[in-house]
Amino acid sequence: MQLNSYIKSVFSLSSGAIIAQAISLFSMPIISRLYSQEEFGFYSLFVQYVSLASIFILLRKEYALQLLNNKNKMLFFLKKISTISYFIIAGLLVLTVFTKNNSVDEISFIFVAGFLLVLIGLNSSFMIFTQKYFIVGISEAINKSIYFIVAFISIYFFGFRGLILGYIIGLFAKLFFLVNNNPNSVKHEPLDTNDKKLISNAGYAISITHIFVAVSTIVPMLAINN
């Protein structure tokens, strides 16, 4: 019985991921003909910067969320971080509207996407804990679909930034889908000192590894780009 449940869970989680990969296989030959290799190189660097920024935002505490093993506490932590993040994201987007500095805009977009990755990580962890594996898989398929559609259309309006716009809007769509599938019946329960210590210690341990991986990926890409 447990084996059948395990197989069903793996299939539910992987089915959405398989759909997402199928969308990527279909879309990449099209997107790669719209944008140049140089533009894809800059886009790849942008994605790596986003990954690095997302590590420092919460020091990978989103990966340790399931260690709480309590729906009420997990939802409290998720909602608290989400509220703060939404205000920061809104502020960064407003900054990109009023500033005319391309460097400031690029940094703002990096941190907007970084915060979105953190929020997606939190919601995905909560969904996996509540065994909503199919929701997590489908969210990635939605992400890939929106990225392709926006990148395909926006090149005619924003040029190279169409790739970045597609990436960010795809993350927004994925987060929106996950948030709208969160249960509303769970009560919020504040974290105690031991809970905070548990998440912090686990997050620090994970973040150290992720920082080394991110840096070791970015440095060769910068060398090749230069």
Side-chain angles (χ1 to χ4, degrees):
M1 189 68 178
Q2 290 182 347
L3 180 60
N4 290 336
S5 178
Y6 175 76
I7 293 174
K8 183 178 179 182
S9 298
V10 171
F11 178 77
S12 297
L13 184 59
S14 61
S15 59
I18 292 171
I19 294 172
Q21 291 303 316
I23 294 171
S24 294
L25 288 174
F26 167 78
S27 62
M28 282 309 298
I30 299 173
I31 297 296
S32 60
R33 283 166 174 75
L34 293 175
Y35 297 90
S36 67
Q37 293 181 351
E38 183 180 4
E39 288 171 334
F40 267 106
F42 283 119
Y43 169 73
S44 298
L45 273 175
F46 172 82
V47 173
Q48 291 302 320
Y49 287 141
V50 170
S51 298
L52 185 60
S54 69
I55 298 172
F56 291 100
I57 288 171
L58 209 58
L59 289 175
R60 284 301 184 243
K61 293 178 183 178
E62 68 271 25
Y63 279 69
L65 185 65
Q66 294 186 45
L67 295 176
L68 292 173
N69 200 31
N70 183 307
K71 289 183 182 180
N72 298 341
K73 291 183 178 181
M74 291 173 70
L75 193 60
F76 173 82
F77 183 78
L78 191 157
K79 296 295 184 183
K80 183 178 180 181
I81 298 299
S82 296
T83 301
I84 297 171
S85 298
Y86 291 146
F87 278 109
I88 295 175
I89 290 173
L92 289 169
L93 291 176
V94 169
L95 182 64
T96 61
V97 172
F98 289 100
T99 184
K100 301 299 181 182
N101 190 313
N102 289 334
S103 297
V104 174
D105 287 349
E106 290 175 7
I107 293 173
S108 297
F109 283 133
I110 286 172
F111 278 98
V112 165
F115 273 99
L116 289 174
L117 283 181
V118 169
L119 293 176
I120 287 170
L122 284 169
N123 283 275
S124 296
S125 293
F126 185 73
M127 286 294 180
I128 291 172
F129 182 80
T130 55
Q131 299 183 356
K132 292 190 175 183
Y133 306 109
F134 187 68
I135 297 296
V136 177
I138 289 299
S139 70
E140 183 58 21
I142 292 173
N143 178 21
K144 297 296 185 184
S145 301
I146 297 299
Y147 164 74
F148 167 63
I149 294 170
V150 175
F152 180 80
I153 296 174
S154 61
I155 186 175
Y156 302 105
F157 302 97
F158 304 104
F160 157 67
R161 288 200 170 186
L163 285 172
I164 295 176
L165 191 62
Y167 179 76
I168 292 176
I169 294 179
L171 292 180
F172 266 116
K174 181 177 182 177
L175 177 62
F176 181 80
F177 181 76
L178 289 170
V179 170
N180 276 276
N181 280 279
N182 275 335
N184 296 319
S185 58
V186 181
K187 296 180 181 178
H188 297 191
E189 184 177 338
L191 277 61
D192 56 32
T193 304
N194 291 332
D195 295 328
K196 294 177 181 178
K197 186 176 181 180
L198 175 67
I199 289 182
S200 296
N201 291 340
Y204 295 153
I206 298 170
S207 64
I208 292 172
T209 304
H210 285 200
I211 289 170
F212 277 110
V213 172
V215 171
S216 63
T217 304
I218 290 175
V219 171
M221 292 179 68
L222 282 172
I224 293 170
N225 184 59
N226 290 333

